[in-house]
Amino acid sequence: MYEAKRTRSGLRVYEETFDKDSTSRITLTRELREGLGRGELHLVYQPVQNLADNTIVGAEALIRWHHPNHGVLLPEKFISLAEDGGLMSSLTPWLLRETFRQLSNWNRIGFRTKISVNVSATNLYEKEFINDLHRLSKEYSVAPEQIELEISEKAIFSDFDRVLVHLKRIYDSGIK
């Protein structure tokens, strides 16, 4: 299945060489689940700069995993594992809470900006996703317009009409 997804062919005939990959994927997915519980994930913030006047106009929240054996892993090494392994329902709330917490801290010291954060398109389909965003906004005293969600184009075009309805509700709420 993973090989068919990776090659985007829809179908792959089994080969013994796939076992090595599937075993490591299963192991890494289990370790990711455990790492979430142990606090091994963290965010770094990449500044967004206006080149005309060199001011910082925002930041992008980038997730990293401090794996105990492999060191720092970038999202391309584990996000697909989280999506395929059903971990996005745990990962996304953590990611959003950390983002709102950081914005709240920055607001408190007078650095009012916005943060863009990548979310999975599957999050858009969750009933409580928009409500969770608003609850976090109130809990951390962060204005909705300080949050910008980024969703991959591939995800948007996979079910355009359905995604569009959810994106409009989010946009109407003040979140970009």
Side-chain angles (χ1 to χ4, degrees), residues 155-175:
I156 291 173
F157 289 115
S158 66
D159 191 354
F160 184 76
D161 293 334
R162 186 174 172 201
V163 171
L164 191 60
V165 168
H166 292 281
L167 287 177
K168 180 160 178 19
R169 287 182 53 217
I170 290 169
Y171 184 81
D172 288 347
S173 74
I175 296 170

Side-chain angles (χ1 to χ4, degrees), residues 4-176:
K5 284 183 175 184
R6 186 184 67 74
T7 60
R8 299 176 194 248
S9 64
L11 175 69
R12 287 294 294 200
V13 176
Y14 173 79
E15 295 176 22
E16 280 187 44
T17 58
F18 296 162
D19 279 342
K20 176 183 168 268
D21 291 336
S22 59
T23 301
S24 65
R25 265 184 88 79
I26 291 168
T27 300
L28 207 54
T29 301
R30 178 184 47 79
E31 292 172 346
L32 178 58
R33 181 176 286 110
E34 293 167 356
L36 267 165
R38 288 192 301 255
E40 294 173 359
L41 283 90
H42 73 281
L43 296 179
V44 295
Y45 299 92
Q46 178 175 302
V48 176
Q49 184 175 9
N50 179 337
L51 295 177
D53 62 8
N54 289 327
T55 58
I56 302 297
V57 294
E60 181 174 5
L62 304 171
I63 191 167
R64 301 291 186 260
W65 178 14
H66 274 245
H67 189 282
N69 300 322
H70 303 296
V72 177
L73 298 180
L74 300 178
E76 54 267 16
K77 294 287 186 185
F78 63 90
I79 292 298
S80 65
L81 298 174
E83 291 176 333
D84 295 341
L87 297 175
M88 293 309 288
S89 61
S90 299
L91 183 61
T92 301
W94 172 85
L95 174 71
L96 291 172
R97 180 168 292 284
E98 286 300 303
T99 300
F100 277 91
R101 184 188 59 73
Q102 183 62 61
L103 272 170
S104 178
N105 289 341
W106 284 342
N107 285 344
R108 197 169 28 261
I109 63 169
F111 180 60
R112 188 168 170 82
T113 191
K114 67 179 179 180
I115 293 181
S116 63
V117 59
N118 293 296
V119 295
S120 173
T122 58
N123 297 125
L124 298 177
Y125 304 132
E126 296 169 358
K127 281 184 173 182
E128 290 301 308
F129 183 68
I130 295 173
N131 293 337
D132 289 344
L133 289 169
H134 289 289
R135 182 181 44 75
L136 288 167
S137 178
K138 288 179 184 166
E139 181 180 336
Y140 286 97
S141 299
V142 169
E145 59 271 9
Q146 288 185 268
I147 294 290
E148 186 173 278
L149 302 179
E150 294 186 9
I151 301 117
S152 74
E153 292 85 1
K154 174 188 161 200
I156 291 173
F157 289 115
S158 66
D159 191 354
F160 184 76
D161 293 334
R162 186 174 172 201
V163 171
L164 191 60
V165 168
H166 292 281
L167 287 177
K168 180 160 178 19
R169 287 182 53 217
I170 290 169
Y171 184 81
D172 288 347
S173 74
I175 296 170
K176 304 295 180 234

